[in-house]
Amino acid sequence: MGAHTGAPPTGAPLPEIVQWFKTMTTNEYIRGVKQSGWPPFRGRLWQRNYYEHIIRDDAFLNRIRQYIAENPLRWHLDRENPHRTGTDGDHILG
């Protein structure tokens, strides 16, 4: 993708934009730890993958909004959580 600058790559495919965002926010976090005394994080800042969905109607948009609002409540069930206490069952976004 070339050198990382302060702006996302114009006309780039979504994976390049996501990688740019992760790189820029990680670099800013590292600067904050070094220069502003932010607490260091000993794990990974970003999960490896991400999920993309095309929003085709208001009903799906509302399901996504519900997922965003309720997802933190299910962290104890999430397969990404090394200390999970159960399973998440059916995923709201399919």
Side-chain angles (χ1 to χ4, degrees):
M1 180 164 56
H4 296 288
T5 63
T10 303
L14 183 59
E16 287 187 24
I17 294 170
V18 170
Q19 184 58 49
W20 170 86
F21 180 80
K22 288 180 176 182
T23 298
M24 298 306 291
T25 55
T26 299
N27 288 343
E28 185 63 25
Y29 175 76
I30 292 168
R31 273 191 291 278
V33 170
K34 291 179 178 178
Q35 298 173 1
S36 302
W38 294 359
F41 183 72
R42 300 289 178 215
R44 296 181 70 127
L45 292 178
W46 292 102
Q47 68 186 38
R48 182 177 171 169
N49 295 319
Y50 63 94
Y51 303 96
E52 59 185 71
H53 296 277
I54 297 173
I55 302 170
R56 299 193 184 274
D57 57 34
D58 287 341
F60 191 60
L61 176 60
N62 288 331
R63 285 179 38 212
I64 291 173
R65 288 176 173 155
Q66 178 183 359
Y67 171 80
I68 291 169
E70 295 176 359
N71 191 46
L73 301 174
R74 291 191 308 274
W75 175 238
H76 67 285
L77 304 174
D78 195 296
R79 69 176 180 235
E80 299 285 338
N81 180 351
H83 306 291
R84 73 179 177 181
T85 59
T87 59
D88 201 5
D90 291 332
H91 194 276
I92 192 169
L93 298 179

